[in-house]
Amino acid sequence: MLARSPARSHHLQSLPFPCCPIVCSTSYLFEWDNGTDLTLAGHGTIDGQGYKWWWQFLLNKIPGDRKRPGLVYMTSGTGLNVANITLRNSPIMHMHFDNITGVHIDSVTIWTDWRRQAKLAGLHDRLGLVIPEDDDEDPPFMQLAPSELAGIQKWAEEETAAGAIPMLPFNTDGIDPGVGAKDVFIKNLTAENFDDVIAVKPCNGDCAGMSMLCTENIVVENSKIFLGVGLSIGSVNPKDPTNCIKDIVFQGASFK
């Protein structure tokens, strides 16, 4: 489920929706189980081509929120290093890992075309969004037109007053350290995704029979966040017996 873009060097793409059932699955594009000392690095881009997945999700053509492929996942291992890459437009969470010790993430950029997401959700006029007419053209990165700033501020105030979180419904989180993630260091992250940028989570699924695994010792520093919901701890309902998060530090983050 991986293709190289002929138009851009160092640019890898997931296969878009719909794709052949033989090669298309809801697994992550890069997925490791019980790996050791794995590195994903370079100066290129991994593109999830999420637009049609988001559209089909809104139309209820995809059963369940999790039946979409993410980009990077590792479980039950030691040593994951991710550096100097861009992750963009994942159909769901961009990066997730659990039951792993020793994660180092440095100088990663995460970008979601939230303007086209908002258009899918019927919010583009309300938010005053400026969307390029060419489907292959990206909107400006980490920039807002005056109409967009005014529209987003008004919408966010209305959502907050109604007791809701001003975010889009596609669950395109940035990085999710999950149950049992330990000794995680994330630095120099740049993100624009209109969703959780980093969400530190306990177990939120079926953990029956698992040993007590705490999500712990996580440091995130020098993050640049543009139109992200932010940095969160325990953003899901915990499930016994692994309802443990401790020793989490966020420092040096800038929000715009």
Side-chain angles (χ1 to χ4, degrees):
M1 53 183 298
L2 179 67
R4 183 181 296 275
S5 169
R8 304 176 185 177
S9 61
H10 305 102
H11 190 106
L12 298 178
Q13 296 176 324
S14 297
L15 294 179
F17 184 97
C19 48
C20 175
I22 296 175
V23 296
C24 183
S25 73
T26 56
S27 299
Y28 281 69
L29 181 60
F30 291 92
E31 183 168 331
W32 299 279
D33 186 354
N34 201 25
T36 301
D37 296 332
L38 295 166
T39 296
L40 182 62
H43 292 278
T45 297
I46 300 172
D47 189 340
Q49 299 203 87
Y51 181 86
K52 288 186 178 179
W53 288 94
W54 305 331
W55 181 230
Q56 295 298 312
F57 172 70
L58 276 187
L59 293 175
N60 293 317
K61 296 293 182 66
I62 298 174
D65 182 46
R66 305 290 174 172
K67 301 299 183 180
R68 291 173 282 157
L71 296 185
V72 180
Y73 176 64
M74 183 172 178
T75 184
S76 302
T78 59
L80 173 63
N81 301 281
V82 183
N84 300 308
I85 61 172
T86 294
L87 304 176
R88 56 176 277 153
N89 285 337
S90 180
I92 199 168
M93 296 168 288
H94 287 76
M95 188 185 307
H96 175 62
F97 42 85
D98 54 34
N99 195 19
I100 177 174
T101 300
V103 176
H104 296 267
I105 299 172
D106 186 6
S107 301
V108 168
T109 297
I110 294 174
W111 181 76
T112 299
D113 191 348
W114 57 269
R115 288 177 174 85
R116 289 187 170 94
Q117 283 188 339
K119 185 175 181 179
L120 286 176
L123 290 169
H124 57 293
D125 288 335
R126 183 177 175 188
L127 299 182
L129 300 183
V130 179
I131 301 175
E133 293 184 5
D134 185 345
D135 289 341
D136 293 327
E137 181 181 352
D138 288 339
F141 179 59
M142 299 187 79
Q143 298 178 42
L144 285 177
S147 64
E148 295 177 320
L149 178 60
I152 291 170
Q153 286 178 334
K154 182 179 179 182
W155 174 69
E157 291 169 358
E158 292 171 350
E159 291 291 291
T160 302
I165 298 175
M167 60 191 298
L168 296 171
F170 300 98
N171 202 16
T172 47
D173 292 7
I175 300 174
D176 287 6
V179 57
K182 181 179 180 181
D183 300 335
V184 177
F185 185 37
I186 302 170
K187 66 177 181 178
N188 303 321
L189 173 69
T190 301
E192 178 182 356
N193 68 332
F194 227 125
D195 211 314
D196 292 314
V197 174
I198 295 178
V200 181
K201 299 177 178 179
C203 175
N204 65 321
D206 183 7
C207 298
M210 292 180 63
S211 58
M212 183 63 171
L213 294 173
C214 192
T215 308
E216 62 180 314
N217 193 23
I218 297 175
V219 176
V220 180
E221 65 177 28
N222 299 331
S223 303
K224 295 180 181 179
I225 299 167
F226 186 84
L227 288 179
V229 174
L231 310 173
S232 63
I233 298 174
S235 60
V236 296
N237 294 324
K239 300 290 179 67
D240 291 333
T242 51
N243 53 348
C244 174
I245 295 177
K246 67 179 182 179
D247 299 330
I248 313 298
V249 177
F250 297 134
Q251 59 189 13
S254 64
F255 297 83
K256 183 176 181 182

